[in-house]
Amino acid sequence: MDGRQSKTCSRVAFLSFVLCYFIGVVGYGDMSGSHLRGSTSSQFHKAFSIVEPDPGHTKLAVSRSGLNAIARITNPIAVVAVIGPYRSGKSFLLNQLLSLSCNEGFGVGHMRDTKTRGIWAWGEPLEINLDGVKTSVLFLDTEGFESIGKSNVYDDRIFALAAIMSSVLIYNLPETVREADIAKLSFAVDLAEEFYGRVKGRESILEPAKLLWLIQRDFLEGKSVQAMVEEALQTVPNPDNNKDIFQVNRIRKSLSLMAENSTAFSLPQPHLERTKLCEMGDSELHHSYVSQRERLKKVVTSMIRPKIVQGGTITGKDFVSLLEQTLDALNKGEIPSAGYVVEAFNRAVVDRCVALYNTRMSKFQLPVREEELLSGHESTVHEVTSLFGKERFGRQKDNDESSRMLLMQVEKAYVTLVEINTFRSSRQCDNIYTSCEDQLDSLQGLRLPSMAKFSAGITSCNITFTKNCLGPSKPVYQKRLEKMWLKARSHFINNYNQRLFNWLVVLSLVMVVVGRFVIKFLLLEIAAWGLFIFLETYTRIFWSAESLYYNPTWRVVVSAWEATVYGPLLDLDRWFIPLSWIIFFGFITYRLKFGRRKKGPAPLLPSVDIPRTSRRSRFLKM
């Protein structure tokens, strides 16, 4: 019993150990997982700087860490940006919209200087469902206007960047709308004039933000905020044509373009002690503020739409690319303008159009005829300019910078194609010309001169040149080739007469030898001697080398020679040496085989040759 109990206790202890081990592992895994999820979540549960001022506080620079946090967003993005004077409660307002405390949300300062530098973004976008599409809403806090130590140009760049990047632009103003506040909208007006008309049409290149006039007042009595805004936007009489008043009135008139795209909203002060707002909960804030704040959330939510660029929504990476492109455009000029932004955006469109032009023109297998290349260029230019008109940013203008840039780059690409076409045409035609020149040189050295073969060589070369020599260099090489043909033909004719004459002299001597020693035909030998004497005497006396070719009698000789030497079935010059060897060996074989038969067979026994004198003496004796 003691042994059994000890074994049982050992088994229980072992199982308990294994069970505790697995429980520990599982528990450790759960804790580790929750820790990672918590760290991942807390990693973005804070505000990031995405744009910061340069040391001179005049231009803007990107903050890469903040942009990397935004680039991770894969959903369509909608951007809510708050702008306004410094110390007007923008950061606190954003925390209220996001239901965040001051400790965890955007930094709220209670000092006289501005707390936010540049532009900040909340790292955890608010995800909402818009028309069945999951959309990430990004909230941006901007540096306040008119703070100490900054230039007006810097404020303009902050305003311009927020106006371009946002879907909803909240213009946070304390108490009322001032003339300076309206002047700040100059850039937004320029953007509206450039883009807003196109949004209503079939094209939506860059949709301007919806403008929300948010006026925070200590009391809500008196005029409504909408009436206050409409009154502030009325034109001012300008009988003296003052430039400043004229500019203000231009902005006010142009704001009518944004009338359908703007909303006015009032928000009471949350509490009299504004420096302690971060320490108060909703129960301590003014009840009218809390209720109006909740209404504001609904208004902002109703205005939110995904950011539209080039007819489509943008993701985090698109947002970063757009921000960098806009920032580069705003920093380009001393004073930011919509024109700089438009040209910066249009540069990307120009690049796409030029790439399309190069793709279309690459279908030509150079070299080609100049007319064909020019026709393709003109049709492709029409195609890319039509595409640029559809995809370009801003209003269609004649001879604007982007249009000139497109035409200049396309023309530059065409000039390069023309140069390449000319070079390849010259190289191709020169190769064919050199080949024809070598071919004519070889024809000059024919063993058996033949005008028909020479003319056939020229015809073949002409066909090859016409078919393969293309492009702008063809007329030049055509003239050079014609001159070469005329010169080569004249030289060939002169040599042709002399060489043919020499071959006839050789032929006459050969026929003399054949008629005398081979076939032993006296008439052939006499005719051959007659031809030899005629060629060596009469022709040299009465026929010159130039007139020989055109003499009727000589033409008969030439025709007979040409028919013998060159024809469709036989090229005697090519087969002259093989045929000569065949004839030679045939003659030797004939002589060896048939020459002995004429003398009879050789005697089987040797015979004794009796001298004639002995035969005669023997006959006389008889």
Side-chain angles (χ1 to χ4, degrees):
M1 291 293 293
D2 295 338
R4 293 179 181 178
Q5 289 179 352
S6 61
K7 290 182 180 180
T8 302
C9 292
S10 300
R11 292 176 181 175
V12 171
F14 175 75
L15 292 175
S16 300
F17 172 76
V18 172
L19 182 61
C20 291
Y21 173 78
F22 279 105
I23 292 175
V25 171
V26 174
Y28 177 77
D30 291 341
M31 290 175 63
S32 300
S34 62
H35 173 71
L36 290 175
R37 286 192 297 270
S39 63
T40 304
S41 177
S42 61
Q43 181 181 359
F44 299 106
H45 191 75
K46 60 181 179 179
F48 290 92
S49 172
I50 61 173
V51 174
E52 55 191 18
D54 66 354
H57 223 102
T58 57
K59 295 186 178 181
L60 302 174
V62 298
S63 178
R64 187 56 56 187
S65 59
L67 293 182
N68 290 339
I70 295 177
R72 81 187 197 282
I73 303 173
T74 57
N75 297 330
I77 283 182
V79 182
V80 176
V82 179
I83 60 172
Y86 85 107
R87 304 293 298 141
S88 60
K90 298 184 300 299
S91 300
F92 181 78
L93 173 65
L94 281 169
N95 289 337
Q96 292 289 296
L97 294 177
L98 289 168
S99 301
L100 297 173
S101 66
C102 296
N103 293 329
E104 59 179 341
F106 290 97
V108 177
H110 301 296
M111 305 298 292
R112 295 305 299 172
D113 60 340
T114 180
K115 180 72 173 179
T116 303
R117 299 287 183 177
I119 298 179
W120 290 64
W122 181 245
E124 287 187 344
L126 178 66
E127 293 186 350
I128 61 176
N129 194 305
L130 296 176
D131 299 327
V133 178
K134 189 177 181 181
T135 304
S136 297
V137 183
L138 195 64
F139 288 86
L140 303 183
D141 189 13
T142 63
E143 186 172 351
F145 305 148
E146 302 170 356
S147 63
I148 300 174
K150 299 185 306 178
S151 64
N152 292 332
V153 175
Y154 177 80
D155 289 346
D156 292 339
R157 287 192 171 97
I158 289 289
F159 182 93
L161 187 59
I164 293 172
M165 302 304 300
S166 60
S167 307
V168 178
L169 185 63
I170 302 177
Y171 200 174
N172 185 56
L173 297 172
E175 301 299 336
T176 186
V177 181
R178 301 174 302 165
E179 196 66 48
D181 301 327
I182 298 176
K184 287 291 182 184
L185 292 173
S186 176
F187 189 89
V189 167
D190 292 339
L191 288 179
E193 290 178 344
E194 289 287 350
F195 300 118
Y196 188 57
R198 298 170 65 87
V199 174
K200 295 180 180 179
R202 59 184 176 85
E203 304 152 70
S204 180
I205 303 302
L206 178 63
E207 184 176 0
K210 295 183 178 182
L211 180 61
L212 174 61
W213 297 82
L214 180 61
I215 301 178
Q216 300 189 37
R217 298 188 292 173
D218 290 332
F219 54 90
L220 296 178
E221 292 81 4
K223 299 178 182 177
S224 66
V225 175
Q226 187 66 44
M228 184 186 302
V229 171
E230 292 176 356
E231 181 179 343
L233 296 179
Q234 290 180 359
T235 57
V236 179
N238 188 18
D240 299 330
N241 292 325
N242 184 279
K243 293 183 179 180
D244 295 333
I245 298 177
F246 177 80
Q247 177 66 12
V248 170
N249 286 336
R250 186 192 72 83
I251 297 173
R252 294 182 177 190
K253 290 180 181 179
S254 299
L255 281 173
S256 61
L257 293 171
M258 303 178 65
E260 300 178 8
N261 220 29
S262 63
T263 303
F265 193 87
S266 63
L267 189 66
Q269 294 296 337
H271 198 276
L272 294 178
E273 297 185 34
R274 299 186 60 184
T275 58
K276 298 182 179 180
L277 290 178
C278 288
E279 303 172 6
M280 300 180 183
D282 285 355
S283 60
E284 301 175 80
L285 298 177
H286 200 284
H287 68 279
S288 61
Y289 168 80
V290 175
S291 61
Q292 194 74 350
R293 182 196 64 190
E294 297 305 314
R295 286 186 55 203
L296 176 62
K297 289 182 179 180
K298 295 179 181 179
V299 170
V300 172
T301 303
S302 66
M303 297 176 67
I304 290 176
R305 289 294 181 271
K307 185 65 179 176
I308 301 295
V309 178
Q310 292 182 338
T313 58
I314 62 173
T315 62
K317 291 183 179 180
D318 300 327
F319 176 88
V320 172
S321 176
L322 178 64
L323 185 141
E324 291 175 335
Q325 188 178 11
T326 306
L327 204 60
D328 179 67
L330 293 175
N331 286 333
K332 180 180 179 182
E334 292 299 325
I335 299 176
S337 68
Y340 284 133
V341 176
V342 169
E343 296 305 330
F345 289 166
N346 282 336
R347 278 197 294 269
V349 183
V350 169
D351 292 342
R352 288 198 300 273
C353 291
V354 173
L356 176 63
Y357 174 86
N358 292 330
T359 301
R360 292 288 188 269
M361 296 301 290
S362 64
K363 68 180 180 181
F364 290 99
Q365 299 296 324
L366 302 181
V368 296
R369 294 183 300 108
E370 290 179 291
E371 297 79 6
E372 183 179 353
L373 188 64
L374 178 60
S375 176
H377 165 72
E378 292 175 346
S379 61
T380 307
V381 168
H382 177 72
E383 181 181 358
V384 297
T385 51
S386 298
L387 176 65
F388 179 74
K390 294 178 181 178
E391 293 192 0
R392 61 166 293 155
F393 291 81
R395 292 171 294 178
Q396 184 71 37
K397 302 175 184 177
D398 296 331
N399 298 323
D400 61 357
E401 183 64 26
S402 54
S403 298
R404 288 194 297 269
M405 184 186 301
L406 173 62
L407 295 177
M408 181 181 67
Q409 293 193 25
V410 166
E411 191 63 28
K412 183 178 179 180
Y414 175 67
V415 170
T416 301
L417 282 175
V418 169
E419 292 176 353
I420 296 174
N421 189 48
T422 302
F423 171 75
R424 293 185 180 179
S425 173
S426 176
R427 184 175 60 182
Q428 186 183 67
C429 293
D430 186 72
N431 291 336
I432 299 174
Y433 177 85
T434 303
S435 177
C436 288
E437 190 176 32
D438 295 340
Q439 184 177 353
L440 292 180
D441 288 342
S442 65
L443 291 174
Q444 295 285 357
L446 293 175
R447 298 184 186 90
L448 301 177
S450 172
M451 181 59 67
K453 186 173 182 178
F454 183 82
S455 299
I458 291 180
T459 302
S460 174
C461 183
N462 188 24
I463 293 174
T464 303
F465 181 85
T466 304
K467 180 180 180 181
N468 297 327
C469 178
L470 304 173
S473 299
K474 184 173 184 177
V476 176
Y477 279 89
Q478 181 73 42
K479 292 180 180 180
R480 290 179 59 184
L481 197 60
E482 290 175 356
K483 290 181 180 179
M484 183 181 69
W485 287 338
L486 292 175
K487 184 177 179 180
R489 184 180 179 85
S490 176
H491 185 264
F492 182 82
I493 289 175
N494 292 333
N495 292 337
Y496 176 84
N497 292 325
Q498 186 62 43
R499 294 179 64 191
L500 179 57
F501 183 84
N502 294 336
W503 271 106
L504 290 176
V505 172
V506 172
L507 179 63
S508 64
L509 294 177
V510 170
M511 296 306 296
V512 169
V513 174
V514 172
R516 183 176 182 83
F517 298 104
V518 179
I519 64 176
K520 297 180 180 181
F521 188 58
L522 182 61
L523 292 179
L524 178 62
E525 181 182 355
I526 294 172
W529 279 115
L531 177 62
F532 176 78
I533 295 171
F534 173 78
L535 292 173
E536 290 294 329
T537 58
Y538 183 83
T539 57
R540 294 185 181 275
I541 296 174
F542 298 102
W543 291 353
S544 63
E546 291 79 9
S547 62
L548 186 65
Y549 184 78
Y550 301 101
N551 187 280
T553 304
W554 184 254
R555 294 298 297 170
V556 174
V557 175
V558 168
S559 299
W561 172 265
E562 291 288 345
T564 305
V565 172
Y566 182 77
L569 301 178
L570 178 64
D571 183 1
L572 193 58
D573 180 78
R574 182 179 180 183
W575 298 99
F576 175 71
I577 293 179
L579 287 176
S580 299
W581 283 106
I582 291 173
I583 293 173
F584 175 75
F585 285 112
F587 177 74
I588 295 299
T589 303
Y590 174 81
R591 294 293 298 174
L592 292 175
K593 184 175 182 180
F594 296 102
R596 292 182 178 180
R597 290 182 180 180
K598 292 182 180 181
K599 295 181 180 181
L604 298 176
L605 298 175
S607 60
V608 179
D609 189 10
I610 302 175
R612 292 183 180 182
T613 54
S614 61
R615 292 178 182 177
R616 183 178 298 179
S617 61
R618 187 182 299 174
F619 179 74
L620 291 176
K621 289 180 179 181
M622 291 178 63

